[in-house]
Amino acid sequence: MKSKKPFDYDKNDYRNLRREQLELHKSYLKEMESEENSRLLMIENKTAQLVSQTGLVFALLSLFVPFIVETVLNAQIIFRVVFIMLLIMCFLCYILAIINSLKNFNVKKFNYGYKSPMTILNHQSLSEKKFMQMEIKDALYCINNNIEMNNRKATHLIRGYHFFKFGIVSTAVLVVFLCASLLFINGKESENGTKQPLETPIKKEFLENTTKRDFEKVHDSIKIDTMSKAKID
């Protein structure tokens, strides 16, 4: 839906020709134009900052995704599902923040009003008062149109900021969840390690199959071998 004009008026309704009032009105409208230009500059600067910051966080998060995924591979299925959902939410918020911010750089969708040099060339024969009157009408049109354009850009900037904020919150929750899952996994592995038997299955099987008689035979063979060596010496 197309946004409405900030002010509902027709520029042709202005018909004043008194010089003092023309000068006063012209000065007032110039001040408004200056304010809107400053507002436009501020919106564009903040939009550029938001895009750069979002892109930086997005790149850093993408860089650590393989390490994070490898870390939670051994976790339970419920932890993996929650982790994937949080990760998708983070990326989605950052992508929407960038998309809304980049809308402000689409020049074709923002037709700002500016004074044209053709106005002087086409109205050279006008008197000073009528020319000032026409200049004021042009200023009325430009101000009304430019405020509407700036409001649209400000709306995109605010939406991008909210998505960026949600992305930061989601990333913080993801980090807390990751730390908690790491502690849980490491704690479970250490607990399983303490409960492992000291005897290996092979050693245990060997001890079960070896009888007392076998130990006595080994002891006798060692004794005979020792005595034979003593006789040789």
Side-chain angles (χ1 to χ4, degrees), residues 11 37 42 54 58 60 71 92 114 117 126 151 160 166 170 184:
K11 65 175 186 177
N37 290 334
M42 180 187 66
T54 306
F58 187 88
L60 290 175
T71 304
L92 183 62
Y114 298 99
L126 289 179
N151 288 344
F166 294 150
S170 301
F184 179 78

Side-chain angles (χ1 to χ4, degrees), residues 55-147:
L56 178 61
V57 176
F58 187 88
L60 290 175
L61 184 61
S62 302
L63 182 64
F64 287 101
V65 163
F67 168 75
I68 299 174
V69 172
E70 184 180 358
T71 304
V72 299
L73 281 178
N74 297 327
Q76 296 181 359
I77 184 65
I78 184 66
F79 286 101
R80 281 182 282 177
V81 171
V82 175
F83 167 76
I84 293 297
M85 292 178 62
L86 286 174
L87 190 62
I88 292 175
M89 185 180 298
C90 291
F91 278 110
L92 183 62
C93 288
Y94 290 133
I95 291 173
L96 290 176
I98 293 176
I99 290 175
N100 280 276
S101 300
L102 290 178
K103 288 181 181 179
N104 288 347
F105 296 113
N106 192 347
V107 181
K108 295 181 180 180
K109 291 187 177 181
F110 297 96
N111 298 318
Y112 280 88
Y114 298 99
K115 296 178 181 179
S116 174
M118 297 302 299
T119 302
I120 297 177
L121 297 176
N122 295 334
H123 301 89
Q124 300 182 46
S125 59
L126 289 179
S127 63
E128 183 179 359
K129 290 184 179 181
K130 288 187 177 181
F131 184 82
M132 290 178 63
Q133 182 190 47
M134 184 182 61
E135 186 179 7
I136 291 175
K137 289 181 180 181
D138 290 345
L140 288 170
Y141 169 78
C142 291
I143 290 172
N144 195 24
N145 183 77
N146 293 351
I147 291 177

Side-chain angles (χ1 to χ4, degrees), residues 162-179:
H162 285 316
F163 282 120
F164 179 75
K165 180 177 66 176
F166 294 150
I168 292 294
V169 173
S170 301
T171 304
V173 174
L174 180 65
V175 171
V176 173
F177 171 78
L178 180 63
C179 295

